[in-house]
Amino acid sequence: MKLINVLVLCLGLYAQGQNSYEITGRVLSENQGLPYVSVYIRGSSLGTTTDDNGYFQLSNVAPGSHDIMVSFVGYKTIKKSVDISEDTKNLTFNMQYDDSLDEIVVTGTLKSVSRLESAVPVEVYSPAFFKKNPTPNIFDALQNVNGVRPQLNCNVCNTGDIHINGLEGPYTLVLIDGMPIVSGLSTVYGLSGIPNSLIEQVEIVKGPASSLYGSEAVGGLINIITKLPENAPIVFADTFVTGWGELNVDAGFKTNVGEKATMLFGTNYFTYNNKIDNNNDNFTDLTLQDRISIFNKWDFKREDNKKFSLAGRYFYEDRWGGELQWNKSFRGGDEVYGESIYTSRFELLGDYELPIDEKVNFQFSYSDHDQNSVYGNIPYLAQQRIGFGQFIWDKPLEKHDLLFGAALRYNYYNDNTTATLRPDEVTIPSLFVQDEIELSTKQNLLLGLRYDYDNRHGSIITPRVAYKYKPTGDDIIRVNAGTGFRVVNLFTEEHAALTGARDVIIEEALEPEQSYNVNINYLKKWYTKKGMIFTFDTSVWYTHFTNAIIPDYDTNPNQIIYDNLDGYSTSKGISLNLDALLATGIKGSIGATIQDVSQTENDVRTRQILTERFTGTWSLSYKHYPTNITVDYTGNLYGPMRLPLLGDLDPRQEFSPTWSIQNIQFTYDGFENFELYAGIKNLLNWTPNRGNPFIIARANDPFDENVEFDNDGNVLATQDNPFALTFDPSYVYGPNQGIRAFLGLRYSLN
């Protein structure tokens, strides 16, 4: 019987071989053979790549109807259905460039324009970029953007902000759909609650943008653009877990509500409740968190395609870090140290185009942020409310593209610190105008001016000029110059002022900071005959600050001193980016930034603390179409930065080492509507405790019960405290999380 089965099997295999076919053909682009293109039969393991002249051959193809897929990075994928009943030969596929490579941006000029045509250099990052290294929040997702660094500000509660070109987080304005809804207090905690699945793209402008966006857009801005409801999947979900026990879930759906409205609903949930102390200081290496964010966006159909969209978001987070034996019964006490933060905020934003002949939009936003925090036995109770509205009139004329705007911003801030004896409440009206002038077919000049009135500081005027020269269709030179200003709310921005034992000293009434910037940018795209696409983007910049407010950790190691700098500070550097779509199917990018950020006071020049000299980022992606597997390798590199020591006896390193975080991910998308992904984060298992005796000073005595002081308040070196230290968790420059695996699943129904 077994012999008969073997014979039947052999006959079947022989018959199958006799009834298999061969498919041959060629893939072209602009009448040139395109090499290394993936050609495969959908739903099977049969696949190949074209040769140097674009020819391909598929063998052992079973008879019947098949979908032949032709795919290559930088080009639109082609699907051709073929009914195979005899040898199929000489098929021809003509591939076209993917126009989506030329992104549409709005952040630089408040108008929707091609990135290549914008007079202001804007960097654009799509969801595909962030999927290469999945993260539970947009804060972590920015770690692979050149010149942008998520900076942790506390070893205990792990809060942070975003640095652009070496400038501190308060100089970065974060927008959602163009609205200044995340700023000050909410920047510190609010970046964690935007569901990644709802992001259409992220646009980044480096350098002052106060002429359009007002205060806080001094060092640059990040605009998080959410999906339009009609463009979102019907149902989507994305969830992953890590080896440390982190769980992140994104989910949502869209639906039509009646005939004139489309609604998009999304939610993000993140939880981590695993106490890990790999550096053995009895403090959690990563804060424990429970976070939920709910997002709802509506798009309404109106006559003449006039725009009306409305969105809202609610965010709640409960996070804590501290000694391993801490629980909520110790909250606010002085027995066991912990930093516990309850955050509740809601946001509303909208865009309404007026029903008139002219293109006039009314844009508005409102956010309400409530924070209940304790840092050991120090409470920090704060409320921040920001209301914003502006009219924008877009008026194109021959050779001129005009934009007029009138804005009103309401700021309310109150906390329980001595710095805020009464609520800080101010309404700031603004007017701005912008004109982009077409000098010739190759040259454009953009002029802008903004006027703000703050009753605390008077009138503030911020001009701007941008020049674009496009000698060829693939070369662009841009020169931008402008000013910026920032009105300071100290405790909404400086977490170090609230944690640890340092005293906060404010030596004078703080005046607004002013900045002057020039940026020169060159962008080049080129296409090879073998189907490779390269984009080279480089910028040099110089920013000069007056009235800069920089925390002084050096004058007295037991204090943080804040005042307006009696001098100036500068930020200057060069950045380079190279994106490549290679003929081998590899998609890669590499970026580098070299910068010098310093301050000069009384003719003494000092390098800014917690600012790296150089950074590097890279990503490599390759998809093997026959197996439906994509490999992503991402990483970053940071140069040394000066760190806040607690005195001459502090044994910790004054400068951080050069360090790198690297990740790898494998994604399988062979299932319909599903993607399965897995990988390893922090492949090098790097953590900042390497080479240091400890990271948190006096972790064994967080309430400084055994610290002795002299009559002037200086710490004395004793047998119990030989380095003359106080408890201080502000010596932080990188995450404490080591190597860890992750596993995730995505679902999308279009």
Side-chain angles (χ1 to χ4, degrees):
M1 190 61 151
K2 291 183 178 179
L3 179 60
I4 294 174
N5 289 338
V6 172
L7 289 173
V8 171
L9 178 61
C10 291
L11 288 171
L13 292 174
Y14 175 78
Q16 182 177 348
Q18 293 297 306
N19 292 306
S20 62
Y21 296 92
E22 181 179 275
I23 299 175
T24 62
R26 194 180 189 198
V27 179
L28 302 172
S29 176
E30 298 181 351
N31 297 319
Q32 298 287 328
L34 198 59
Y36 310 116
V37 177
S38 292
V39 182
Y40 60 98
I41 295 180
R42 186 177 183 183
S44 77
S45 60
L46 290 177
T48 187
T49 55
T50 58
D51 63 16
D52 288 341
N53 296 309
Y55 291 101
F56 68 89
Q57 176 179 310
L58 289 169
S59 302
N60 298 322
V61 181
S65 180
H66 297 282
D67 289 334
I68 301 177
M69 308 297 294
V70 180
S71 182
F72 190 51
V73 289
Y75 292 80
K76 295 179 179 179
T77 298
I78 299 175
K79 181 178 75 170
K80 181 177 287 188
S81 297
V82 177
D83 190 5
I84 301 174
S85 57
E86 58 183 27
D87 287 0
T88 305
K89 297 180 182 297
N90 301 322
L91 297 177
T92 301
F93 296 87
N94 288 289
M95 302 201 76
Q96 296 180 345
Y97 289 120
D98 188 349
D99 295 334
S100 65
L101 293 175
D102 186 12
E103 304 97 340
I104 300 300
V105 298
V106 297
T107 305
T109 61
L110 281 178
K111 294 174 180 249
S112 296
V113 296
S114 161
R115 180 192 176 195
L116 296 180
E117 298 301 326
S118 173
V120 178
V122 181
E123 297 181 14
V124 182
Y125 298 91
S126 68
F129 176 86
F130 297 115
K131 285 182 179 179
K132 295 176 183 180
N133 178 33
T135 60
N137 55 66
I138 195 66
F139 176 83
D140 291 335
L142 293 170
Q143 64 184 271
N144 291 320
V145 175
N146 183 29
V148 177
R149 182 169 69 85
Q151 164 67 35
L152 286 175
N153 293 328
C154 176
N155 262 311
V156 180
C157 66
N158 293 162
T159 56
D161 52 32
I162 302 294
H163 291 200
I164 294 181
N165 287 346
L167 296 177
E168 294 284 343
Y171 296 96
T172 300
L173 177 63
V174 180
L175 311 169
I176 298 179
D177 289 337
M179 294 292 97
I181 204 165
V182 181
S183 61
L185 178 65
S186 56
T187 299
V188 180
Y189 304 100
L191 282 171
S192 311
I194 302 170
N196 287 350
S197 296
L198 296 179
I199 295 174
E200 180 68 28
Q201 64 187 38
V202 175
E203 299 179 5
I204 298 176
V205 175
K206 298 173 181 176
S210 292
S211 64
L212 281 182
Y213 295 98
S215 179
E216 296 161 343
V218 180
L221 59 90
I222 298 171
N223 190 6
I224 300 165
I225 300 174
T226 60
K227 292 182 183 294
L228 291 173
E230 56 265 31
N231 295 338
I234 297 172
V235 179
F236 58 90
D238 186 351
T239 182
F240 69 85
V241 295
T242 73
W244 275 46
E246 299 159 283
L247 170 65
N248 185 75
V249 179
D250 280 356
F253 64 91
K254 75 169 182 181
T255 185
N256 292 325
V257 181
E259 297 181 354
K260 294 187 177 182
T262 305
M263 186 268 286
L264 174 63
F265 176 86
T267 185
N268 168 256
Y269 175 69
F270 176 79
T271 184
Y272 170 72
N273 288 292
N274 192 18
K275 297 178 183 178
I276 293 179
D277 179 25
N278 287 336
N279 57 17
N280 298 313
D281 60 2
N282 195 45
F283 272 71
T284 54
D285 290 346
L286 181 66
T287 54
L288 282 68
Q289 302 174 51
D290 276 299
R291 177 176 71 240
I292 188 167
S293 176
I294 299 172
F295 181 87
N296 192 209
K297 186 172 185 178
W298 292 72
D299 200 8
F300 299 92
K301 295 180 180 179
R302 300 172 57 209
E303 293 182 1
D304 300 324
N305 292 319
K306 296 287 186 180
K307 183 176 182 179
F308 180 30
S309 65
L310 192 64
R313 182 171 75 109
Y314 176 74
F315 169 86
Y316 179 79
E317 182 182 68
D318 175 0
R319 69 161 62 201
W320 76 269
E323 294 185 274
L324 298 181
Q325 64 270 31
W326 188 92
N327 59 54
K328 290 187 177 181
S329 68
F330 296 107
R331 192 176 195 269
D334 58 5
E335 297 180 45
V336 179
Y337 188 89
E339 296 185 1
S340 171
I341 303 168
Y342 302 148
T343 303
S344 176
R345 64 177 279 112
F346 68 85
E347 304 159 352
L348 178 69
L349 61 155
D351 190 349
Y352 179 77
E353 187 176 347
L354 271 59
I356 58 178
D357 292 337
E358 296 290 338
K359 185 174 175 56
V360 179
N361 283 56
F362 175 60
Q363 300 173 330
F364 58 93
S365 66
Y366 177 78
S367 65
D368 191 297
H369 186 102
D370 185 273
Q371 187 172 313
N372 181 322
S373 310
V374 293
Y375 301 92
N377 58 354
I378 300 174
Y380 174 59
L381 309 176
Q383 300 84 38
Q384 184 181 53
R385 304 184 189 109
I386 300 175
F388 178 81
Q390 69 179 9
F391 286 95
I392 296 178
W393 179 21
D394 185 354
K395 183 65 176 176
L397 300 172
E398 185 178 0
K399 302 293 184 179
H400 293 266
D401 195 355
L402 292 163
L403 183 80
F404 301 93
L408 189 69
R409 177 166 175 156
Y410 168 78
N411 282 9
Y412 173 90
Y413 174 75
N414 191 25
D415 65 31
N416 64 315
T417 68
T418 55
T420 311
L421 298 178
R422 61 179 182 273
D424 181 14
E425 190 171 14
V426 63
T427 300
I428 302 175
S430 310
L431 297 172
F432 58 90
V433 61
Q434 175 181 278
D435 184 13
E436 186 166 5
I437 308 165
E438 183 183 345
L439 302 177
S440 69
T441 57
K442 295 183 178 181
Q443 299 181 79
N444 286 68
L445 180 66
L446 183 146
L447 303 174
L449 184 70
R450 184 183 180 101
Y451 171 80
D452 292 82
Y453 180 77
D454 186 326
N455 58 17
R456 300 166 299 181
H457 308 295
S459 299
I460 302 174
I461 298 175
T462 47
R464 174 196 204 183
V465 59
Y467 170 74
K468 183 194 71 174
Y469 175 53
K470 194 173 182 180
T472 72
D474 298 318
D475 293 86
I476 302 175
I477 299 170
R478 300 178 176 101
V479 180
N480 280 242
T483 64
F485 75 96
R486 183 172 73 97
V487 178
V488 177
N489 281 322
L490 184 65
F491 285 94
T492 72
E493 300 157 349
E494 293 292 352
H495 177 269
L498 299 166
T499 184
R502 294 179 187 256
D503 292 326
V504 176
I505 306 298
I506 303 173
E507 294 198 333
E508 61 184 4
L510 300 178
E511 294 296 321
E513 295 179 281
Q514 300 264 1
S515 71
Y516 307 88
N517 170 272
V518 61
N519 179 297
I520 302 173
N521 172 263
Y522 172 63
L523 185 143
K524 166 75 174 179
K525 278 199 173 193
W526 69 93
Y527 307 83
T528 71
K529 291 183 178 180
K530 291 191 175 182
M532 294 184 287
I533 305 173
F534 296 90
T535 303
F536 176 75
D537 190 350
T538 184
S539 294
V540 294
W541 78 89
Y542 177 84
T543 306
H544 181 97
F545 290 91
T546 60
N547 281 344
I549 301 170
I550 301 172
D552 177 3
Y553 291 83
D554 301 319
T555 301
N556 187 328
N558 299 310
Q559 296 177 341
I560 307 175
I561 301 173
Y562 296 93
D563 64 351
N564 285 109
L565 188 67
D566 186 15
Y568 62 90
S569 64
T570 62
S571 169
K572 52 192 174 184
I574 180 172
S575 68
L576 303 100
N577 288 287
L578 178 64
D579 296 320
L581 303 174
L582 304 180
T584 56
I586 295 176
K587 183 177 182 180
S589 66
I590 186 169
T593 298
I594 302 172
Q595 60 195 16
D596 179 15
V597 185
S598 64
Q599 61 192 70
T600 301
E601 190 168 25
N602 300 322
D603 296 324
V604 177
R605 183 176 181 274
T606 307
R607 179 177 167 186
Q608 182 170 295
I609 206 165
L610 290 172
T611 303
E612 64 280 5
R613 288 280 195 186
F614 61 86
T615 64
T617 58
W618 64 85
S619 68
L620 289 172
S621 301
Y622 173 72
K623 181 169 183 178
H624 187 251
Y625 286 93
T627 59
N628 299 297
I629 292 177
T630 302
V631 182
D632 294 299
Y633 170 54
T634 58
N636 51 48
L637 180 74
Y638 297 114
M641 61 187 77
R642 193 165 69 91
L643 302 173
L645 298 180
L646 288 176
D648 295 336
L649 298 178
D650 194 329
R652 296 174 294 182
Q653 297 174 346
E654 182 181 2
F655 289 89
S656 66
T658 298
W659 54 282
S660 175
I661 299 291
Q662 301 176 28
N663 319 284
I664 192 167
Q665 176 183 245
F666 300 88
T667 304
Y668 177 77
D669 61 2
F671 304 118
E672 188 171 359
N673 301 327
F674 284 94
E675 287 184 0
L676 180 67
Y677 59 94
I680 298 174
K681 291 179 179 288
N682 197 355
L683 284 164
L684 303 181
N685 197 28
W686 178 89
T687 52
N689 58 301
R690 290 186 182 181
N692 272 311
F694 50 83
I695 295 295
I696 299 177
R698 298 288 293 176
N700 63 322
D701 184 20
F703 295 100
D704 291 333
E705 294 177 347
N706 299 314
V707 176
E708 296 183 16
F709 300 87
D710 63 16
N711 293 332
D712 295 325
N714 299 311
V715 180
L716 297 173
T718 63
Q719 183 175 359
D720 178 67
N721 188 14
F723 304 121
L725 304 176
T726 57
F727 173 70
D728 179 44
S730 64
Y731 182 96
V732 56
Y733 58 93
N736 285 320
Q737 273 190 294
I739 189 170
R740 60 203 183 278
F742 63 92
L743 176 66
L745 181 68
R746 296 189 185 99
Y747 173 76
S748 181
L749 178 63
N750 293 305

